[in-house]
Amino acid sequence: MRVIQAASLLLAVSRVGSSVIKRQSNGGFGDGQPIDGNGKGAPLSGGTNHALDLQNPDNLGQQSTDNGVVPNLKWSFSDSKTRILRGGWVREQVVTDLPISKEIASAQQHLTKGSIRELHWHRVAEWGYLYAGSIAVSGVDQNGHYQVAKLEEGDIWYFPKGVAHTVQGLDDENEFLLIFDDGDFDAVGTTFNVDDWITHTPKSILAKNFGLPESVFGSVPSPNPYITNGTVDNHTVTGGNGELTGNASFAYFAKDHPLEKVPGEGGTLRIVDSRTFPIATTIAATVVTLQPGGLRELHWHPNAEEWLYFHKGQGRATVFIGSAAARTFDFRAGDTGVFPDNSGHYIENTSESEDLVWVEIYKSDRVEDISLTQWLALTPAGIVATTLKIPVDIAENLQKEKQLLIKGSQ
């Protein structure tokens, strides 16, 4: 009897769950269902994550122009494993998370006041963007030049491959985006922590190297803490071969650089590459704010793939990878994406009230893009009209200047 009652209960629960989804299927994509309203599609009846379906209507087939096979180009930091530590946390996106991202790996990292990302160096370059709080970055290069710089929100740093460095939090809470110019960042031989090295070196060698008693090194932590609690260090560094300044500086201060001109009037654009941040020779970036309803115009990048981190808002992008293959993705704050080398794309702010803010990263010394509209406008109008089957007067009057960020309709 109890078995029959249990079975009846399970059946009732399943019917309730099914009815909830069916009640939400009338609106099609807007209700997280693959129904286009023109006779295509049907409600989802099996297991599905309805919250994700609502956030990603383009995965349900909303864009009829999507075609062919395009690999997944999106990863959310919310899907990454967070490593919780004394003094902060870190979560990564590496090639094993997003296999298409072979050139760039990334992480979000949080430090509390005084906490330190311990002394280390990498086989790859490190680029960082501070979006909350204030930090001190410290680095020493192969020539004994050094720099200790205080960074505020919007500032950026870059440590070339092999440069020794550390980061310390100065405000109560501090958070930043880290970029590395190799997607396989977790591979052995990529990051080298100083305490790891010291604890795996004979104490007699350490004593001889530093000219100190062996007992000095008895408390070096092992395994390394990665992030460790501390107090804000106010010591002044002197000596060596002097402080790095000017074009050799590891730090980019946003307040010292004007924003780019945006003819389309749809937002703001900050380009940070070797022209404005000379030491950053392997990672170039753009920080973009796009107004509600605005469009980052159709374009492509001739020199590198584009990696993206979406910081605020919501938007969508269709990526064209050639051979008539295209796929649309929906993005929200915390998402990352990769647009393959030379692939055509746009980014649209789908919010009616909130700005869309994102960071674009390129494994290159500079940011380059080719505007679709400008290309067509600077090509003989008759050729454009014949190719696209449009009136020649339209081809003659296309915008000859890059619009970059196009203002949304009012």
Side-chain angles (χ1 to χ4, degrees):
M1 182 66 178
R2 289 178 179 175
V3 172
I4 295 174
Q5 289 175 338
S8 299
L9 178 60
L10 287 172
L11 181 60
V13 169
S14 68
R15 284 174 176 169
V16 169
S18 176
S19 65
V20 169
I21 293 178
K22 285 183 178 179
R23 281 203 303 269
Q24 296 181 341
S25 69
N26 295 332
F29 301 117
D31 284 326
Q33 298 291 349
I35 303 171
D36 71 355
N38 295 311
K40 290 184 178 180
L44 292 164
S45 299
T48 191
N49 187 324
H50 191 60
L52 284 181
D53 293 336
L54 289 170
Q55 291 181 15
N56 298 277
D58 290 303
N59 271 351
L60 299 174
Q62 179 172 251
Q63 299 300 327
S64 62
T65 50
D66 284 2
N67 186 65
V69 177
V70 177
N72 179 48
L73 305 178
K74 173 183 170 181
W75 177 266
S76 174
F77 274 125
S78 295
D79 290 323
S80 297
K81 173 66 176 178
T82 303
R83 185 179 176 189
I84 302 175
L85 302 149
R86 295 187 182 279
W89 55 260
V90 62
R91 57 184 184 180
E92 297 179 337
Q93 176 259 296
V94 295
V95 71
T96 49
D97 301 314
L98 187 57
I100 195 73
S101 185
K102 294 179 173 59
E103 294 187 351
I104 299 294
S106 63
Q108 286 179 307
Q109 192 165 119
H110 191 105
L111 298 176
T112 56
K113 187 172 185 176
S115 293
I116 303 164
R117 169 61 179 101
E118 64 166 301
L119 294 155
H120 64 287
W121 75 96
H122 304 293
R123 177 186 54 79
V124 299
E126 173 182 310
W127 182 99
Y129 174 70
L130 180 65
Y131 54 77
S134 175
I135 60 173
V137 296
S138 172
V140 178
D141 72 9
Q142 70 276 13
N143 298 313
H145 294 113
Y146 63 88
Q147 185 175 16
V148 181
K150 180 181 179 181
L151 304 185
E152 306 289 350
E153 289 183 24
D155 291 342
I156 290 166
W157 71 93
Y158 177 90
F159 292 124
K161 171 182 178 178
V163 166
H165 60 277
T166 189
V167 181
Q168 183 173 44
L170 300 180
D171 285 358
D172 290 340
E173 307 296 339
N174 312 276
E175 196 167 308
F176 43 87
L177 174 72
L178 291 171
I179 298 295
F180 307 97
D181 59 1
D182 187 338
D184 195 12
F185 180 71
D186 280 346
V188 173
T190 300
T191 298
F192 305 85
N193 296 300
V194 67
D195 45 13
D196 276 348
W197 191 13
I198 286 176
T199 57
H200 292 88
T201 299
K203 286 188 174 59
S204 60
I205 298 299
L206 294 171
K208 185 180 293 186
N209 182 80
F210 291 103
L212 295 169
E214 292 185 17
S215 59
V216 169
F217 306 99
S219 300
V220 177
S222 180
N224 75 82
Y226 190 85
I227 292 173
T228 187
N229 286 323
T231 56
V232 174
D233 194 320
N234 294 313
H235 286 88
T236 300
V237 178
T238 59
N241 289 321
E243 188 172 4
L244 291 165
T245 59
N247 288 348
S249 174
F250 295 137
Y252 169 99
F253 301 102
K255 64 180 176 56
D256 296 334
H257 299 271
L259 295 170
E260 303 296 319
K261 178 185 175 184
V262 179
E265 301 181 344
T268 64
L269 194 72
R270 180 182 298 280
I271 294 177
V272 185
D273 62 15
S274 59
R275 291 167 291 190
T276 55
F277 192 19
I279 200 169
T281 57
T282 67
I283 298 175
T286 304
V287 182
V288 186
T289 298
L290 184 61
Q291 296 171 359
L295 181 74
R296 172 65 173 99
E297 68 173 327
L298 289 156
H299 66 285
W300 71 93
H301 305 281
N303 60 329
E305 73 178 23
E306 177 179 352
W307 183 96
L308 307 100
Y309 158 70
F310 290 88
H311 184 57
K312 294 179 180 178
Q314 63 182 47
R316 73 163 62 96
T318 299
V319 184
F320 167 65
I321 64 171
S323 301
R327 181 176 172 184
T328 304
F329 295 86
D330 301 286
F331 292 101
R332 289 175 176 262
D335 288 343
T336 69
V338 177
F339 299 161
D341 193 348
N342 273 272
S343 61
H345 56 276
Y346 67 86
I347 299 175
E348 182 185 22
N349 185 344
T350 55
S351 172
E352 296 180 355
S353 58
E354 184 179 11
D355 286 345
L356 178 62
V357 180
W358 74 89
V359 179
E360 303 170 358
I361 297 292
Y362 309 92
K363 187 175 180 178
S364 177
D365 66 332
R366 62 181 53 202
V367 175
E368 296 180 357
D369 75 283
I370 296 177
S371 160
L372 174 59
T373 303
Q374 186 182 57
W375 171 39
L376 297 178
L378 298 177
T379 298
I383 294 176
V384 174
T386 299
T387 301
L388 299 181
K389 301 295 187 280
I390 62 175
V392 70
D393 62 315
I394 290 179
E396 290 172 338
N397 289 287
L398 292 171
Q399 291 279 1
K400 290 181 169 60
E401 184 179 19
K402 289 182 182 179
Q403 298 302 291
L404 298 174
L405 306 175
I406 300 173
K407 195 171 186 177
S409 57
Q410 299 300 311

